[in-house]
């Protein structure tokens, strides 16, 4: 098998015991248990390992899953717990356009007098006026409503 030659999984007895404990006891996520079973099946320290197709069929996963778990094991330097747990994301995929300064300016606008011809501010009216201000990013009326609700500001 190609990936076993490129990325061999060699577990210590302590790591094997931990993985067996993860798969047999306690309440854990299904993906964590699946990755632990994959590591146990790919372990070359106990002897010869079956082919990738046989292991994938036995565990009910794809060959790509086997490859990714073995790759993650080598990337983490053989750390079993880092391999089976979920990888945390560093940053959100898109940074929020709403900063503290934007919130403050929006709240100040909502607390000011409404434009002539209007009795009070509405979310859609605030949306139109936010679009006219150049240093505030364009915000949707639902985003404006969430910001005002978070800060307990009522449009009256």
């Amino acid at each position: 098998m190609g990936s076993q030659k490129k990325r061999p999984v060699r577990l210590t007895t302590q790591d094997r015991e931990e993985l067996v404990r993860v798969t047999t006891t306690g309440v854990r996520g299904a993906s964590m248990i699946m990755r632990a079973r994959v590591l146990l099946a790919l372990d070359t320290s106990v002897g010869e390992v079956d082919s990738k197709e046989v292991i994938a069929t036995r565990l009910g996963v794809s060959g790509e899953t086997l490859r990714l778990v073995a790759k993650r094991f080598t990337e983490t330097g053989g750390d079993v717990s880092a391999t089976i747990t979920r990888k945390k994301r560093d940053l959100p995929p898109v940074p929020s356009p709403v900063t503290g300064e934007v919130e403050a300016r929006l709240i100040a606008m909502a607390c000011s007098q409404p434009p002539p011809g209007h009795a009070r501010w509405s979310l859609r009216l605030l949306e139109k006026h936010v679009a006219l201000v150049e240093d505030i990013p364009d915000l949707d009326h639902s985003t404006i409503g969430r910001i005002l609700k978070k800060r307990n500001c009522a449009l009256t």
Side-chain angles (χ1 to χ4, degrees):
M1 183 171 130
S3 69
Q4 288 176 352
K5 291 178 184 171
K6 283 199 301 192
R7 296 183 188 95
V9 177
R10 296 185 77 58
L11 299 174
T12 63
T13 55
Q14 182 181 1
D15 289 341
R16 283 191 68 76
E17 290 171 3
E18 180 185 344
L19 290 174
V20 168
R21 193 170 36 256
V22 165
T23 58
T24 57
T25 61
V27 178
R28 304 242 173 23
S31 59
M32 178 185 275
I33 294 171
M34 180 266 311
R35 286 190 286 268
R37 286 182 178 154
V38 167
L39 281 178
L40 286 171
L42 292 176
D43 184 20
T44 58
S45 64
V46 293
E48 190 62 32
V49 178
D50 293 331
S51 69
K52 183 163 73 169
E53 293 79 20
V54 172
I55 293 173
T57 307
R58 185 172 10 124
L59 296 178
V61 297
S62 68
E64 182 69 8
T65 301
L66 296 175
R67 186 188 71 78
L68 290 175
V69 171
K71 179 182 174 189
R72 178 110 187 258
F73 182 75
T74 57
E75 286 175 352
T76 58
D79 186 8
V80 172
S81 60
T83 303
I84 64 174
T85 56
R86 231 180 117 191
K87 187 165 57 173
K88 297 294 181 190
R89 186 166 59 184
D90 293 336
L91 297 172
V94 178
S96 176
V98 180
T99 61
E101 181 183 337
V102 171
E103 281 187 23
R105 303 261 327 259
L106 183 64
I107 291 170
M109 186 182 291
C111 292
S112 67
Q113 289 293 320
H118 296 279
R120 64 181 190 88
W121 285 104
S122 68
L123 292 179
R124 298 205 187 254
L125 186 61
L126 276 171
E127 178 184 13
K128 289 178 185 173
H129 280 272
V130 163
L132 297 176
V133 179
E134 292 179 7
D135 55 339
I136 297 179
D138 290 342
L139 300 173
D140 188 50
H141 65 276
S142 60
T143 306
I144 293 171
R146 256 185 273 121
I147 293 169
L148 295 176
K149 183 177 180 180
K150 183 170 78 171
R151 299 294 176 210
N152 291 328
C153 295
L155 295 175
T156 56

